[in-house]
Amino acid sequence: MKFNGYYLLVFCLILASCGASKKGYQVKNLDPYAWMLGIWQIDNGDEFESWIRTSEKLYQGEAYTFNRQTKKKIVEEKVRLEFTKKKKITYTPTLSEGGQVMSTIFTQINSSTDTLIFENLQHDFPKRIVYMRLTNSSGKAYIEDAQPGQGRKEFNLRKIKGQ
């Protein structure tokens, strides 16, 4: 059989395109996740999550409760969403309890712009944190154990102020 370089080139191009599609959508900053920016009300209650853009590679957020009687905001958790130098997106919540500050790093494991899945299998609970955009003004978030659906706690999100 006579060797034809054209068929080898076509085969290599097909193989390369298959490999590229497995990588999924590659981001270079946090701009595809700008839908998270703003203030989100959790389960139509007095709990909120707010996100601001500090730079194209860093969003800062906080989870808080608003006390309607005192009209004060009680911050429960601060969060960093960061595009790192290693070209990974991390989600780092920081809690203050009893004078101790504790941070845990979760790393993004998916490549969708409408759903963010972060995981840290070494953390006790949660091991996975998920944010999903349903519409421009609604979403869902949940935390769960390592097995999908196991020990899951879900939150409905409603955007009350955009950025």
Side-chain angles (χ1 to χ4, degrees):
M1 183 168 124
K2 185 177 175 186
F3 178 79
N4 189 334
Y6 172 76
Y7 291 114
L8 179 62
L9 177 63
V10 170
F11 176 74
C12 288
L13 288 172
I14 291 170
L15 191 60
S17 69
C18 290
S21 68
K22 285 185 179 179
K23 286 182 182 178
Y25 181 70
Q26 298 293 316
V27 297
K28 296 178 181 155
N29 55 44
L30 294 176
D31 288 346
Y33 307 108
W35 58 267
M36 292 184 67
L37 300 173
I39 300 174
W40 296 83
Q41 184 177 28
I42 301 171
D43 293 327
N44 291 319
D46 292 334
E47 293 178 312
F48 300 87
E49 198 166 285
S50 67
W51 289 93
I52 60 168
R53 176 187 163 132
T54 304
S55 73
E56 68 179 11
K57 296 187 179 188
L58 177 65
Y59 292 172
Q60 292 185 324
E62 60 183 15
Y64 61 92
T65 301
F66 183 75
N67 186 319
R68 291 178 192 264
Q69 292 175 334
T70 63
K71 305 229 185 271
K72 289 190 178 180
K73 178 168 84 168
I74 302 160
V75 177
E76 297 161 354
E77 177 180 72
K78 293 191 179 260
V79 186
R80 289 173 61 94
L81 186 65
E82 186 170 15
F83 185 80
T84 67
K85 291 178 183 175
K86 294 182 179 180
K87 298 186 180 189
K88 294 192 180 282
I89 296 175
T90 59
Y91 177 96
T92 308
T94 300
L95 301 166
S96 296
E97 281 187 27
Q100 287 188 326
V101 176
M102 300 170 285
S103 295
T104 305
I105 298 172
F106 293 81
T107 304
Q108 185 183 22
I109 62 168
N110 71 320
S111 60
S112 168
T113 56
D114 287 329
T115 301
L116 289 157
I117 303 172
F118 300 97
E119 192 172 74
N120 180 337
L121 297 176
Q122 277 62 54
H123 192 250
D124 55 355
F125 185 83
K127 294 191 184 302
R128 189 172 296 118
I129 299 170
V130 178
Y131 285 87
M132 295 183 297
R133 173 171 56 173
L134 301 177
T135 68
N136 286 337
S137 61
S138 69
K140 184 177 282 286
Y142 61 87
I143 57 175
E144 66 183 359
D145 211 346
Q147 298 299 319
Q150 190 176 33
R152 180 185 282 200
K153 184 172 180 183
E154 292 191 10
F155 308 93
N156 293 306
L157 305 172
R158 183 174 63 93
K159 190 177 257 188
I160 60 170
K161 184 176 180 185
Q163 185 162 351

